[in-house]
């Protein structure tokens, strides 16, 4: 697989996910503003990948800071962080990564500024590396839930493209495949941005994992037919009580899974858990541009020009619909994830 | 509203629904093969409209039959009917209209062939007229379920465009509006063919009924928020036990409605009820072209070229999810519709 994001020769290079699968192109960020633009415009997306991008964005921005003392330097860092933090409200990994970088800087405040700048690049790369490691651990913990011969439904893209690499939900699927299990995947296309059709289908085909693409409204049909054994999705933010925000439509998949007695798993790193909020009601839901709904690829009009549109980008699946949350620390019942703070 | 279909100067003229809402163009059928093509390629769609098109197709085909006696004439009619009948398997109105035209011919077998040909045009126009009348009656019976201030979710297009005029599900909504009720509609875009985005949004805007377009996977989100008071959809075939086939995704809407204690209504004329089949399991589900899923408008590619695709065009909602079936004869609990045969 091509890397989703990397630090290379002093720039941050992102695979442009808005162009996939038709074109494999890269978006090169020379400034932290470029990184913020990449996040905001979905050139990079997926909660863990957004976290990595934010960390790299802070490191990139730091290189250009001209301050002569730590106080001034940190003041500039705070501006950079608030610019990057203003891109997307729902995925908590964005804020988690920004806070991590800030704490890292504070913990090295006695070092010369040039040394801090160098260390920030290392730290951003560590965020990337740790994310991949977390995904591999998640894969091991999650693969137990997939039996030989199973067909798995997934929604949106929680794959290598949504993370530093390997993937959360797709990481679990990859791990099951690596264990020699014969598996099939149904991928919801995931309107409006079509991450399932464009990214999940592409990733799984690249890995030779059999995948069938369906429109979002077909999931219930295939569950009723008995074609789906389990569902695995990622998450953008998980509340302390186990309620999980993920791409719009996840909640509907969870309700349908419950109706058909199909297990429903959420795979996400601990960095996706927001221990500060008691329930999903506190998760802000991003409302995106109407053009995502009225146009495909922002170009092809599919609805009357002046139609009223709603475009919430996420929904919250209450903990009671979730069979288990799979993290790098193991799989937990949703009501037990608060224990991960201990 | 422009007519969905009409008999005009010896041809059958259909509004080309594949081009809406961007272009208002017409498809002119000079032969019954043109009519069959119009049905198969979704130039006209919606169960009642398909029934009208089939009746007009039989009448159109009959005009060109060169037979000298009734037996030969009827033999040719049977060929025409089987060609038209081979277009789409799910909507029973297609077969209902064909059978009606055949019975009509048989009942006039003593008349001169030229007279029968003339009478067939009248009969096809009667099928159209009766469909509009049925929709208006359905509207009256159904509007009682809509209260002032309600917001209604609908899926696909069961409007004037899906019928001879006025609509089934949208007919009920129109009738409520005509009663002076203040209503709002949420329209699922209805992938893959986007009948909701392209047709329902357009129809309701033309009628100044407030409509909000959403992607199919947002319905659950808005139900959970309490934004939806009731759901109304059309049907392509209803079994004797009240199970109802309709556009893919309808079943998911019904499950979500049940989960949120939201009433779920099906509006359809008696011609959509297939009294010959005991349950929805006997309804054939059309599998359509993969390009509908991988491409938008058959042109814009949105998925990897070689991805495996499933494209069932319909699903079956079991009777237990349906609050009532609204017909031109009144509203019935699904388990009571068998009484309409009496």
């Amino acid at each position: 697989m091509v890397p989703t994001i990397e630090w290379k020769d002093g720039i941050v290079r992102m695979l442009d996910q808005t162009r996939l699968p038709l074109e494999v192109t890269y978006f090169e960020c020379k400034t932290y503003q470029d990184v913020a633009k990449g996040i905001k415009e979905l050139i990079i997306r997926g909660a863990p990948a957004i976290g990595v991008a934010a960390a790299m964005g802070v490191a990139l921005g730091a290189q250009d800071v001209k301050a002569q003392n730590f106080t001034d330097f940190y003041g500039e860092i705070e501006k950079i962080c608030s610019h990057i933090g203003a891109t997307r409200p729902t995925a908590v990994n964005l804020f988690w990564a920004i806070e991590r970088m800030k704490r890292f800087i504070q913990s090295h405040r006695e070092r010369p500024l040039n040394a801090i700048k160098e260390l920030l690049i290392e730290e951003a790369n560590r965020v990337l590396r740790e994310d991949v490691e977390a995904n591999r651990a998640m894969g091991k913990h999650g693969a137990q839930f997939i039996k030989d011969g199973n067909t798995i439904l997934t929604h949106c893209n929680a794959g290598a493209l949504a993370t530093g690499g390997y993937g959360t939900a797709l990481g679990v699927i990859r791990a099951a495949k690596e264990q020699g299990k014969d598996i099939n995947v149904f991928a919801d296309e995931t309107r409006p941005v079509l991450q399932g059709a464009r990214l999940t289908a592409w990733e799984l085909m690249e890995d030779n994992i059999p995948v069938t693409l369906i429109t979002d409204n077909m999931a219930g049909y295939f569950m009723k037919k008995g074609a789906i054994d389990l569902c695995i999705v990622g998450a953008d933010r998980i509340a302390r009580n186990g309620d999980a925000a993920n791409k719009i439509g996840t909640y509907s998949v969870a309700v349908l899974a419950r109706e058909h007695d199909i297990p429903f798993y959420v795979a996400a790193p601990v960095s996706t858990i927001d221990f500060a909020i008691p329930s999903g009601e506190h998760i802000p839901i991003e409302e995106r541009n109407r053009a995502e709904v009225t146009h495909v690829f922002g170009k092809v009009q599919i609805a009357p020009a002046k139609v009223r549109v709603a475009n919430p980008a996420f929904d919250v699946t209450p903990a009671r619909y979730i069979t288990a949350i799979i993290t790098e620390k193991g799989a937990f019942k949703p009501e037990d994830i608060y224990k991960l703070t201990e």
Side-chain angles (χ1 to χ4, degrees), chain A residues 47-62:
Chain A
I50 289 171
V52 174
M56 289 192 174
V58 174
L60 187 64

Side-chain angles (χ1 to χ4, degrees), chain A residues 98-167:
Chain A
I98 288 170
E99 286 310 310
R100 172 168 166 167
M101 297 302 272
K102 280 178 162 180
R103 277 199 314 274
F104 181 84
I105 295 169
Q106 286 292 354
S107 72
H108 292 83
R109 58 183 305 151
E110 305 306 334
R111 305 286 299 270
L113 293 180
N114 279 344
I116 295 178
K117 289 180 181 179
E118 270 306 307
L119 287 168
L120 280 170
I121 298 173
E122 281 176 32
E123 181 67 3
N125 274 312
R126 196 173 298 119
V127 170
L128 170 63
R129 219 164 43 239
E130 286 177 9
D131 185 58
V132 180
E133 285 161 13
N135 290 336
R136 294 214 170 255
M138 226 177 283
K140 286 212 178 67
H141 294 304
Q144 61 175 309
F145 300 117
I146 301 178
K147 293 189 186 66
D148 189 42
N150 274 179
T151 297
I152 304 136
L153 176 79
T154 190
H155 187 72
C156 196
N157 173 268
L161 293 167
T163 61
Y166 202 67

